[in-house]
Amino acid sequence: MAVSWKSWLANEGVKHLCLLIWLSLNVLIFWKTFLLYNQGPEYHYLHQMLGLGLCLSRASASVLNFNCSLILLPMCRTLLAYLRGSHKIPSRRTRRMLDKSRTFHITCGVTICIFSGVHVAAHLINALNFSVNYSEDFVELNAARYRHEDPRKLLFTTVPGLTGVCMVLVLFLMVTASTYAIRVSSYDIFWYTHNLFFIFYMLLVLHVSGGLLKYQTNLDTHPPGCINLNQTRFQEVLLGNLPPHFSDSSSGGFSSPEEPNQNMLVKICVEEPRFQANFPQTWLWISGPLCLYCAERLYRCIRSNKPVTIISVISHPSDVMEIRMVKENFKARPGQYIILHCPSVSALENHPFTLTMCPTKTKATFGVHLKIVGDWTERLRDLLLPPPSQDSEILPFIQSRNYPKLYIDGPFGSPFEESLNYEVSFCVAGGIGVTPFASILNTLMDDWKSYKLRRLYFIWVCRDIKSFSWFADLICTLHNKFWQENRPDYINIQLYLSQTDGIQKIIGEKYHALNSRLSVGRPRWEILLDEVAKCNRGKTVGVFCCGPSSISKTLHRLSNQNNSYGTKFEYNKESFS
């Protein structure tokens, strides 16, 4: 099926436009800096000494400054949640761009890695050229102390060299620990190494304070290529090759003898060239975003310094645990997530979890569902749940049990906040990926008439039949509610059991409504979306997915394809930033 340009522009247009603008800015910054150090008269002598390595090192440094300032902005979660929820951005298409914050963060990180490699390689060449091209005429310009000095001394005995080596090591640790394999197998390593970014920025500020690269300050009295009469050194310079401010023979107190050719101009040096270290500009790039990020982290620290009150802890099948809690003045919107921190488990480590129950006007309780995967969730389960021998699944708040202190940070925004802003939403969950939709369903239980949503397609795919029991009661209650209100078409529930040896049912007589909607096998996404398009001709359908990447990629591809009913699908995907 052919791609629909209307759907493609809705899903990809703004994203590619922003990417093009960002890419153009990187190219512009690189090219302008390259030309400055390649043709700028103030860097004439430095360029003669270092050559192409000077241009590449400074151009790549400018790109690094630009991306080191941008990479922090997508991590300002509170700011993004405010922009999304306060409707400061009225356009839904623009608000959806906030969902790409994590992708933009990764893009900037990859760019920093690439240009760090260029920067390091160029400076290795510069260190060699400083040693080989040592000049007695410009001692002040030399970073080396004598000709053929070991270039390694410049790397390990100077502030720029030593801080540069340390930054490369820190960046290597952060990048390698950010790979998918390490994040999945040992999230602790990823979390701790990623927090080395603060050391990286401190080293970056120190790195530019060394002042190894210098520019000429007295261009008026010593233009590049002038004749130094004291050393009887003559040089003829073509007028056309000089910079514009050197073309006037009467400026700067220079004299010009008569020349046989009017196209020739000779300048006389009034004094020796003077050099000065460049003013460090890195802090100008990073100070704003870094201060904003630090201020946001301070605000989050103050906001989350009071522990929550745990109401109950529920053990669900398939290694899932539910925590219900309350906190004074805590407000959240359906689809948002929070960050849990338990000092008894880890002093520094924390993890994001989507809210499955949000506080409302009538109840202050909110909750999360945790899949027990990894050391952190295992230790948290051991602290919150009794030993299996007690055979207790629900521990009420009134029961005498000492829970550890649990802190929350948030809430933060996610794309699922938009699911209630479409007239029709198509929601797909894979396994524990059902959690953001649970908060949507809980919200619809309280009040569905105040939202724009008028039809909800809910598809849930699980491998284990027991997984459906996590929210079986909620789904059945919501189904019965809409039947009683004569709105059976409001929600379309489809459950799929992807792996089974035979026909199974969700145990319990009250789950008859779900058993009748349970299918064995995997959904046929093309048929499902075609049916949705047929039933909602000419409408815009919000597609939301939280689950395996294979399902996400399939839905993303199908959302961009054309259909004969004039229906437009706008694709959204859960992605923690």
PDB file of all heavy atoms in Angstrom, residues 1-33:
ATOM      1  N   MET A   1       0.851  -1.188   0.000  1.00  0.00           N
ATOM      2  CA  MET A   1       0.000   0.000   0.000  1.00  0.00           C
ATOM      3  C   MET A   1       0.893   1.246   0.000  1.00  0.00           C
ATOM      4  O   MET A   1       1.898   1.299   0.707  1.00  0.00           O
ATOM      5  CB  MET A   1      -0.909  -0.001   1.237  1.00  0.00           C
ATOM      6  CG  MET A   1      -1.983   1.077   1.201  1.00  0.00           C
ATOM      7  SD  MET A   1      -3.084   0.945   2.631  1.00  0.00           S
ATOM      8  CE  MET A   1      -3.885  -0.631   2.275  1.00  0.00           C
ATOM      9  N   ALA A   2       0.511   2.236  -0.796  1.00  0.00           N
ATOM     10  CA  ALA A   2       1.325   3.432  -0.965  1.00  0.00           C
ATOM     11  C   ALA A   2       1.266   4.306   0.278  1.00  0.00           C
ATOM     12  O   ALA A   2       0.320   4.270   1.060  1.00  0.00           O
ATOM     13  CB  ALA A   2       0.847   4.219  -2.183  1.00  0.00           C
ATOM     14  N   VAL A   3       2.317   5.118   0.440  1.00  0.00           N
ATOM     15  CA  VAL A   3       2.394   6.042   1.566  1.00  0.00           C
ATOM     16  C   VAL A   3       1.463   7.224   1.321  1.00  0.00           C
ATOM     17  O   VAL A   3       1.402   7.777   0.225  1.00  0.00           O
ATOM     18  CB  VAL A   3       3.843   6.539   1.767  1.00  0.00           C
ATOM     19  CG1 VAL A   3       3.905   7.631   2.828  1.00  0.00           C
ATOM     20  CG2 VAL A   3       4.746   5.374   2.143  1.00  0.00           C
ATOM     21  N   SER A   4       0.713   7.610   2.337  1.00  0.00           N
ATOM     22  CA  SER A   4      -0.158   8.781   2.256  1.00  0.00           C
ATOM     23  C   SER A   4       0.648  10.007   2.674  1.00  0.00           C
ATOM     24  O   SER A   4       1.156  10.069   3.804  1.00  0.00           O
ATOM     25  CB  SER A   4      -1.367   8.596   3.178  1.00  0.00           C
ATOM     26  OG  SER A   4      -2.070   9.810   3.319  1.00  0.00           O
ATOM     27  N   TRP A   5       0.771  10.968   1.753  1.00  0.00           N
ATOM     28  CA  TRP A   5       1.545  12.166   2.076  1.00  0.00           C
ATOM     29  C   TRP A   5       0.896  12.948   3.210  1.00  0.00           C
ATOM     30  O   TRP A   5       1.596  13.579   4.018  1.00  0.00           O
ATOM     31  CB  TRP A   5       1.682  13.047   0.832  1.00  0.00           C
ATOM     32  CG  TRP A   5       2.657  12.488  -0.143  1.00  0.00           C
ATOM     33  CD1 TRP A   5       2.376  11.871  -1.332  1.00  0.00           C
ATOM     34  CD2 TRP A   5       4.086  12.455  -0.008  1.00  0.00           C
ATOM     35  NE1 TRP A   5       3.540  11.462  -1.941  1.00  0.00           N
ATOM     36  CE2 TRP A   5       4.608  11.815  -1.150  1.00  0.00           C
ATOM     37  CE3 TRP A   5       4.970  12.906   0.967  1.00  0.00           C
ATOM     38  CZ2 TRP A   5       5.968  11.612  -1.338  1.00  0.00           C
ATOM     39  CZ3 TRP A   5       6.327  12.707   0.785  1.00  0.00           C
ATOM     40  CH2 TRP A   5       6.813  12.072  -0.364  1.00  0.00           C
ATOM     41  N   LYS A   6      -0.420  12.909   3.291  1.00  0.00           N
ATOM     42  CA  LYS A   6      -1.121  13.607   4.358  1.00  0.00           C
ATOM     43  C   LYS A   6      -0.764  13.010   5.719  1.00  0.00           C
ATOM     44  O   LYS A   6      -0.459  13.737   6.676  1.00  0.00           O
ATOM     45  CB  LYS A   6      -2.625  13.528   4.109  1.00  0.00           C
ATOM     46  CG  LYS A   6      -3.461  14.367   5.062  1.00  0.00           C
ATOM     47  CD  LYS A   6      -4.933  14.284   4.686  1.00  0.00           C
ATOM     48  CE  LYS A   6      -5.791  15.134   5.627  1.00  0.00           C
ATOM     49  NZ  LYS A   6      -7.231  15.042   5.279  1.00  0.00           N
ATOM     50  N   SER A   7      -0.790  11.684   5.794  1.00  0.00           N
ATOM     51  CA  SER A   7      -0.437  11.014   7.052  1.00  0.00           C
ATOM     52  C   SER A   7       1.048  11.149   7.339  1.00  0.00           C
ATOM     53  O   SER A   7       1.463  11.330   8.495  1.00  0.00           O
ATOM     54  CB  SER A   7      -0.829   9.531   6.987  1.00  0.00           C
ATOM     55  OG  SER A   7      -2.220   9.379   6.845  1.00  0.00           O
ATOM     56  N   TRP A   8       1.876  11.064   6.270  1.00  0.00           N
ATOM     57  CA  TRP A   8       3.324  11.172   6.477  1.00  0.00           C
ATOM     58  C   TRP A   8       3.692  12.544   7.021  1.00  0.00           C
ATOM     59  O   TRP A   8       4.522  12.661   7.934  1.00  0.00           O
ATOM     60  CB  TRP A   8       4.055  10.910   5.155  1.00  0.00           C
ATOM     61  CG  TRP A   8       5.542  10.828   5.331  1.00  0.00           C
ATOM     62  CD1 TRP A   8       6.288   9.711   5.563  1.00  0.00           C
ATOM     63  CD2 TRP A   8       6.477  11.928   5.276  1.00  0.00           C
ATOM     64  NE1 TRP A   8       7.619  10.034   5.668  1.00  0.00           N
ATOM     65  CE2 TRP A   8       7.765  11.385   5.499  1.00  0.00           C
ATOM     66  CE3 TRP A   8       6.350  13.291   5.079  1.00  0.00           C
ATOM     67  CZ2 TRP A   8       8.906  12.175   5.516  1.00  0.00           C
ATOM     68  CZ3 TRP A   8       7.483  14.086   5.107  1.00  0.00           C
ATOM     69  CH2 TRP A   8       8.748  13.527   5.314  1.00  0.00           C
ATOM     70  N   LEU A   9       3.081  13.600   6.479  1.00  0.00           N
ATOM     71  CA  LEU A   9       3.375  14.948   6.962  1.00  0.00           C
ATOM     72  C   LEU A   9       2.912  15.123   8.407  1.00  0.00           C
ATOM     73  O   LEU A   9       3.578  15.801   9.202  1.00  0.00           O
ATOM     74  CB  LEU A   9       2.705  15.988   6.061  1.00  0.00           C
ATOM     75  CG  LEU A   9       3.330  16.191   4.678  1.00  0.00           C
ATOM     76  CD1 LEU A   9       2.489  17.149   3.844  1.00  0.00           C
ATOM     77  CD2 LEU A   9       4.763  16.720   4.806  1.00  0.00           C
ATOM     78  N   ALA A  10       1.767  14.503   8.750  1.00  0.00           N
ATOM     79  CA  ALA A  10       1.263  14.610  10.119  1.00  0.00           C
ATOM     80  C   ALA A  10       2.180  13.906  11.101  1.00  0.00           C
ATOM     81  O   ALA A  10       2.391  14.373  12.227  1.00  0.00           O
ATOM     82  CB  ALA A  10      -0.151  14.035  10.204  1.00  0.00           C
ATOM     83  N   ASN A  11       2.753  12.757  10.683  1.00  0.00           N
ATOM     84  CA  ASN A  11       3.584  11.963  11.588  1.00  0.00           C
ATOM     85  C   ASN A  11       5.066  12.321  11.529  1.00  0.00           C
ATOM     86  O   ASN A  11       5.762  12.245  12.543  1.00  0.00           O
ATOM     87  CB  ASN A  11       3.422  10.465  11.269  1.00  0.00           C
ATOM     88  CG  ASN A  11       2.043   9.955  11.617  1.00  0.00           C
ATOM     89  OD1 ASN A  11       1.480  10.308  12.643  1.00  0.00           O
ATOM     90  ND2 ASN A  11       1.480   9.136  10.751  1.00  0.00           N
ATOM     91  N   GLU A  12       5.544  12.696  10.351  1.00  0.00           N
ATOM     92  CA  GLU A  12       6.987  12.882  10.170  1.00  0.00           C
ATOM     93  C   GLU A  12       7.390  14.294   9.770  1.00  0.00           C
ATOM     94  O   GLU A  12       8.554  14.644   9.870  1.00  0.00           O
ATOM     95  CB  GLU A  12       7.510  11.911   9.094  1.00  0.00           C
ATOM     96  CG  GLU A  12       6.910  10.517   9.123  1.00  0.00           C
ATOM     97  CD  GLU A  12       7.316   9.731  10.347  1.00  0.00           C
ATOM     98  OE1 GLU A  12       8.318  10.106  10.990  1.00  0.00           O
ATOM     99  OE2 GLU A  12       6.630   8.744  10.669  1.00  0.00           O
ATOM    100  N   GLY A  13       6.441  15.093   9.275  1.00  0.00           N
ATOM    101  CA  GLY A  13       6.792  16.380   8.684  1.00  0.00           C
ATOM    102  C   GLY A  13       7.514  17.320   9.629  1.00  0.00           C
ATOM    103  O   GLY A  13       8.619  17.808   9.339  1.00  0.00           O
ATOM    104  N   VAL A  14       6.905  17.594  10.796  1.00  0.00           N
ATOM    105  CA  VAL A  14       7.506  18.535  11.748  1.00  0.00           C
ATOM    106  C   VAL A  14       8.826  17.986  12.273  1.00  0.00           C
ATOM    107  O   VAL A  14       9.798  18.736  12.459  1.00  0.00           O
ATOM    108  CB  VAL A  14       6.529  18.815  12.910  1.00  0.00           C
ATOM    109  CG1 VAL A  14       7.155  19.764  13.920  1.00  0.00           C
ATOM    110  CG2 VAL A  14       5.226  19.391  12.379  1.00  0.00           C
ATOM    111  N   LYS A  15       8.875  16.679  12.475  1.00  0.00           N
ATOM    112  CA  LYS A  15      10.110  16.062  12.970  1.00  0.00           C
ATOM    113  C   LYS A  15      11.256  16.259  11.990  1.00  0.00           C
ATOM    114  O   LYS A  15      12.369  16.651  12.385  1.00  0.00           O
ATOM    115  CB  LYS A  15       9.871  14.565  13.210  1.00  0.00           C
ATOM    116  CG  LYS A  15      11.115  13.809  13.653  1.00  0.00           C
ATOM    117  CD  LYS A  15      10.813  12.340  13.839  1.00  0.00           C
ATOM    118  CE  LYS A  15      10.562  11.652  12.504  1.00  0.00           C
ATOM    119  NZ  LYS A  15      10.379  10.194  12.663  1.00  0.00           N
ATOM    120  N   HIS A  16      11.007  16.018  10.716  1.00  0.00           N
ATOM    121  CA  HIS A  16      12.057  16.173   9.712  1.00  0.00           C
ATOM    122  C   HIS A  16      12.408  17.645   9.488  1.00  0.00           C
ATOM    123  O   HIS A  16      13.566  17.964   9.192  1.00  0.00           O
ATOM    124  CB  HIS A  16      11.624  15.523   8.395  1.00  0.00           C
ATOM    125  CG  HIS A  16      11.731  14.027   8.404  1.00  0.00           C
ATOM    126  ND1 HIS A  16      10.776  13.219   8.987  1.00  0.00           N
ATOM    127  CD2 HIS A  16      12.681  13.189   7.913  1.00  0.00           C
ATOM    128  CE1 HIS A  16      11.130  11.952   8.841  1.00  0.00           C
ATOM    129  NE2 HIS A  16      12.275  11.906   8.197  1.00  0.00           N
ATOM    130  N   LEU A  17      11.438  18.528   9.650  1.00  0.00           N
ATOM    131  CA  LEU A  17      11.731  19.954   9.527  1.00  0.00           C
ATOM    132  C   LEU A  17      12.662  20.414  10.642  1.00  0.00           C
ATOM    133  O   LEU A  17      13.641  21.136  10.395  1.00  0.00           O
ATOM    134  CB  LEU A  17      10.424  20.763   9.565  1.00  0.00           C
ATOM    135  CG  LEU A  17      10.579  22.294   9.501  1.00  0.00           C
ATOM    136  CD1 LEU A  17      11.254  22.711   8.202  1.00  0.00           C
ATOM    137  CD2 LEU A  17       9.221  22.970   9.658  1.00  0.00           C
ATOM    138  N   CYS A  18      12.369  19.995  11.859  1.00  0.00           N
ATOM    139  CA  CYS A  18      13.242  20.339  12.994  1.00  0.00           C
ATOM    140  C   CYS A  18      14.630  19.728  12.814  1.00  0.00           C
ATOM    141  O   CYS A  18      15.642  20.367  13.138  1.00  0.00           O
ATOM    142  CB  CYS A  18      12.613  19.865  14.299  1.00  0.00           C
ATOM    143  SG  CYS A  18      11.113  20.753  14.760  1.00  0.00           S
ATOM    144  N   LEU A  19      14.680  18.501  12.310  1.00  0.00           N
ATOM    145  CA  LEU A  19      15.965  17.858  12.072  1.00  0.00           C
ATOM    146  C   LEU A  19      16.768  18.608  11.016  1.00  0.00           C
ATOM    147  O   LEU A  19      17.992  18.786  11.154  1.00  0.00           O
ATOM    148  CB  LEU A  19      15.748  16.404  11.638  1.00  0.00           C
ATOM    149  CG  LEU A  19      17.009  15.574  11.367  1.00  0.00           C
ATOM    150  CD1 LEU A  19      17.840  15.437  12.649  1.00  0.00           C
ATOM    151  CD2 LEU A  19      16.645  14.199  10.823  1.00  0.00           C
ATOM    152  N   LEU A  20      16.077  19.082   9.976  1.00  0.00           N
ATOM    153  CA  LEU A  20      16.748  19.843   8.917  1.00  0.00           C
ATOM    154  C   LEU A  20      17.295  21.165   9.449  1.00  0.00           C
ATOM    155  O   LEU A  20      18.422  21.569   9.113  1.00  0.00           O
ATOM    156  CB  LEU A  20      15.775  20.089   7.771  1.00  0.00           C
ATOM    157  CG  LEU A  20      16.319  20.881   6.573  1.00  0.00           C
ATOM    158  CD1 LEU A  20      17.482  20.140   5.921  1.00  0.00           C
ATOM    159  CD2 LEU A  20      15.211  21.147   5.556  1.00  0.00           C
ATOM    160  N   ILE A  21      16.515  21.845  10.289  1.00  0.00           N
ATOM    161  CA  ILE A  21      16.985  23.099  10.882  1.00  0.00           C
ATOM    162  C   ILE A  21      18.199  22.856  11.764  1.00  0.00           C
ATOM    163  O   ILE A  21      19.198  23.592  11.700  1.00  0.00           O
ATOM    164  CB  ILE A  21      15.844  23.753  11.691  1.00  0.00           C
ATOM    165  CG1 ILE A  21      14.716  24.189  10.758  1.00  0.00           C
ATOM    166  CG2 ILE A  21      16.360  24.949  12.492  1.00  0.00           C
ATOM    167  CD1 ILE A  21      13.484  24.691  11.479  1.00  0.00           C
ATOM    168  N   TRP A  22      18.126  21.825  12.591  1.00  0.00           N
ATOM    169  CA  TRP A  22      19.264  21.497  13.473  1.00  0.00           C
ATOM    170  C   TRP A  22      20.504  21.141  12.659  1.00  0.00           C
ATOM    171  O   TRP A  22      21.620  21.588  12.965  1.00  0.00           O
ATOM    172  CB  TRP A  22      18.864  20.334  14.382  1.00  0.00           C
ATOM    173  CG  TRP A  22      20.003  19.740  15.151  1.00  0.00           C
ATOM    174  CD1 TRP A  22      20.542  20.197  16.326  1.00  0.00           C
ATOM    175  CD2 TRP A  22      20.750  18.572  14.798  1.00  0.00           C
ATOM    176  NE1 TRP A  22      21.573  19.394  16.710  1.00  0.00           N
ATOM    177  CE2 TRP A  22      21.727  18.383  15.797  1.00  0.00           C
ATOM    178  CE3 TRP A  22      20.686  17.677  13.736  1.00  0.00           C
ATOM    179  CZ2 TRP A  22      22.627  17.328  15.764  1.00  0.00           C
ATOM    180  CZ3 TRP A  22      21.576  16.630  13.700  1.00  0.00           C
ATOM    181  CH2 TRP A  22      22.539  16.462  14.699  1.00  0.00           C
ATOM    182  N   LEU A  23      20.324  20.358  11.613  1.00  0.00           N
ATOM    183  CA  LEU A  23      21.452  19.961  10.774  1.00  0.00           C
ATOM    184  C   LEU A  23      22.054  21.171  10.056  1.00  0.00           C
ATOM    185  O   LEU A  23      23.280  21.308   9.964  1.00  0.00           O
ATOM    186  CB  LEU A  23      20.993  18.915   9.755  1.00  0.00           C
ATOM    187  CG  LEU A  23      22.071  18.265   8.880  1.00  0.00           C
ATOM    188  CD1 LEU A  23      23.072  17.518   9.743  1.00  0.00           C
ATOM    189  CD2 LEU A  23      21.435  17.321   7.859  1.00  0.00           C
ATOM    190  N   SER A  24      21.193  22.068   9.588  1.00  0.00           N
ATOM    191  CA  SER A  24      21.673  23.264   8.900  1.00  0.00           C
ATOM    192  C   SER A  24      22.476  24.154   9.844  1.00  0.00           C
ATOM    193  O   SER A  24      23.506  24.723   9.449  1.00  0.00           O
ATOM    194  CB  SER A  24      20.494  24.049   8.328  1.00  0.00           C
ATOM    195  OG  SER A  24      19.763  23.261   7.406  1.00  0.00           O
ATOM    196  N   LEU A  25      22.025  24.272  11.086  1.00  0.00           N
ATOM    197  CA  LEU A  25      22.761  25.073  12.057  1.00  0.00           C
ATOM    198  C   LEU A  25      24.130  24.471  12.341  1.00  0.00           C
ATOM    199  O   LEU A  25      25.126  25.200  12.484  1.00  0.00           O
ATOM    200  CB  LEU A  25      21.955  25.197  13.345  1.00  0.00           C
ATOM    201  CG  LEU A  25      20.706  26.078  13.283  1.00  0.00           C
ATOM    202  CD1 LEU A  25      19.915  25.992  14.579  1.00  0.00           C
ATOM    203  CD2 LEU A  25      21.092  27.523  12.991  1.00  0.00           C
ATOM    204  N   ASN A  26      24.199  23.139  12.423  1.00  0.00           N
ATOM    205  CA  ASN A  26      25.490  22.484  12.642  1.00  0.00           C
ATOM    206  C   ASN A  26      26.446  22.735  11.482  1.00  0.00           C
ATOM    207  O   ASN A  26      27.626  23.036  11.692  1.00  0.00           O
ATOM    208  CB  ASN A  26      25.291  20.974  12.840  1.00  0.00           C
ATOM    209  CG  ASN A  26      24.908  20.611  14.248  1.00  0.00           C
ATOM    210  OD1 ASN A  26      25.738  20.564  15.151  1.00  0.00           O
ATOM    211  ND2 ASN A  26      23.623  20.366  14.461  1.00  0.00           N
ATOM    212  N   VAL A  27      25.941  22.612  10.258  1.00  0.00           N
ATOM    213  CA  VAL A  27      26.780  22.843   9.074  1.00  0.00           C
ATOM    214  C   VAL A  27      27.234  24.292   9.025  1.00  0.00           C
ATOM    215  O   VAL A  27      28.406  24.591   8.734  1.00  0.00           O
ATOM    216  CB  VAL A  27      26.008  22.463   7.792  1.00  0.00           C
ATOM    217  CG1 VAL A  27      26.796  22.879   6.550  1.00  0.00           C
ATOM    218  CG2 VAL A  27      25.725  20.967   7.761  1.00  0.00           C
ATOM    219  N   LEU A  28      26.318  25.228   9.303  1.00  0.00           N
ATOM    220  CA  LEU A  28      26.654  26.656   9.269  1.00  0.00           C
ATOM    221  C   LEU A  28      27.720  26.994  10.304  1.00  0.00           C
ATOM    222  O   LEU A  28      28.692  27.713   9.996  1.00  0.00           O
ATOM    223  CB  LEU A  28      25.390  27.480   9.518  1.00  0.00           C
ATOM    224  CG  LEU A  28      25.570  29.002   9.549  1.00  0.00           C
ATOM    225  CD1 LEU A  28      26.056  29.502   8.191  1.00  0.00           C
ATOM    226  CD2 LEU A  28      24.274  29.692   9.947  1.00  0.00           C
ATOM    227  N   ILE A  29      27.553  26.491  11.515  1.00  0.00           N
ATOM    228  CA  ILE A  29      28.529  26.766  12.575  1.00  0.00           C
ATOM    229  C   ILE A  29      29.896  26.181  12.211  1.00  0.00           C
ATOM    230  O   ILE A  29      30.934  26.827  12.379  1.00  0.00           O
ATOM    231  CB  ILE A  29      28.026  26.195  13.919  1.00  0.00           C
ATOM    232  CG1 ILE A  29      26.816  26.999  14.406  1.00  0.00           C
ATOM    233  CG2 ILE A  29      29.122  26.202  14.972  1.00  0.00           C
ATOM    234  CD1 ILE A  29      26.128  26.398  15.605  1.00  0.00           C
ATOM    235  N   PHE A  30      29.896  24.959  11.697  1.00  0.00           N
ATOM    236  CA  PHE A  30      31.155  24.318  11.322  1.00  0.00           C
ATOM    237  C   PHE A  30      31.855  25.101  10.212  1.00  0.00           C
ATOM    238  O   PHE A  30      33.054  25.379  10.284  1.00  0.00           O
ATOM    239  CB  PHE A  30      30.886  22.876  10.868  1.00  0.00           C
ATOM    240  CG  PHE A  30      32.130  22.094  10.546  1.00  0.00           C
ATOM    241  CD1 PHE A  30      32.762  21.343  11.517  1.00  0.00           C
ATOM    242  CD2 PHE A  30      32.684  22.117   9.263  1.00  0.00           C
ATOM    243  CE1 PHE A  30      33.916  20.616  11.226  1.00  0.00           C
ATOM    244  CE2 PHE A  30      33.824  21.412   8.960  1.00  0.00           C
ATOM    245  CZ  PHE A  30      34.439  20.658   9.945  1.00  0.00           C
ATOM    246  N   TRP A  31      31.095  25.486   9.182  1.00  0.00           N
ATOM    247  CA  TRP A  31      31.700  26.137   8.013  1.00  0.00           C
ATOM    248  C   TRP A  31      32.212  27.542   8.345  1.00  0.00           C
ATOM    249  O   TRP A  31      33.298  27.929   7.922  1.00  0.00           O
ATOM    250  CB  TRP A  31      30.689  26.181   6.877  1.00  0.00           C
ATOM    251  CG  TRP A  31      31.248  26.723   5.587  1.00  0.00           C
ATOM    252  CD1 TRP A  31      30.871  27.844   4.927  1.00  0.00           C
ATOM    253  CD2 TRP A  31      32.303  26.149   4.807  1.00  0.00           C
ATOM    254  NE1 TRP A  31      31.605  28.019   3.784  1.00  0.00           N
ATOM    255  CE2 TRP A  31      32.506  26.980   3.683  1.00  0.00           C
ATOM    256  CE3 TRP A  31      33.093  25.010   4.952  1.00  0.00           C
ATOM    257  CZ2 TRP A  31      33.455  26.721   2.717  1.00  0.00           C
ATOM    258  CZ3 TRP A  31      34.051  24.744   3.981  1.00  0.00           C
ATOM    259  CH2 TRP A  31      34.228  25.584   2.888  1.00  0.00           C
ATOM    260  N   LYS A  32      31.445  28.306   9.101  1.00  0.00           N
ATOM    261  CA  LYS A  32      31.872  29.653   9.462  1.00  0.00           C
ATOM    262  C   LYS A  32      33.143  29.616  10.312  1.00  0.00           C
ATOM    263  O   LYS A  32      34.058  30.424  10.113  1.00  0.00           O
ATOM    264  CB  LYS A  32      30.758  30.378  10.217  1.00  0.00           C
ATOM    265  CG  LYS A  32      29.598  30.841   9.341  1.00  0.00           C
ATOM    266  CD  LYS A  32      28.669  31.766  10.099  1.00  0.00           C
ATOM    267  CE  LYS A  32      29.369  33.083  10.409  1.00  0.00           C
ATOM    268  NZ  LYS A  32      28.427  34.057  11.048  1.00  0.00           N
ATOM    269  N   THR A  33      33.215  28.698  11.255  1.00  0.00           N
ATOM    270  CA  THR A  33      34.408  28.594  12.099  1.00  0.00           C
ATOM    271  C   THR A  33      35.599  28.102  11.288  1.00  0.00           C
ATOM    272  O   THR A  33      36.726  28.593  11.470  1.00  0.00           O
ATOM    273  CB  THR A  33      34.145  27.632  13.271  1.00  0.00           C
ATOM    274  OG1 THR A  33      32.948  28.010  13.940  1.00  0.00           O
ATOM    275  CG2 THR A  33      35.304  27.652  14.256  1.00  0.00           C
TER     276      THR A  33
END
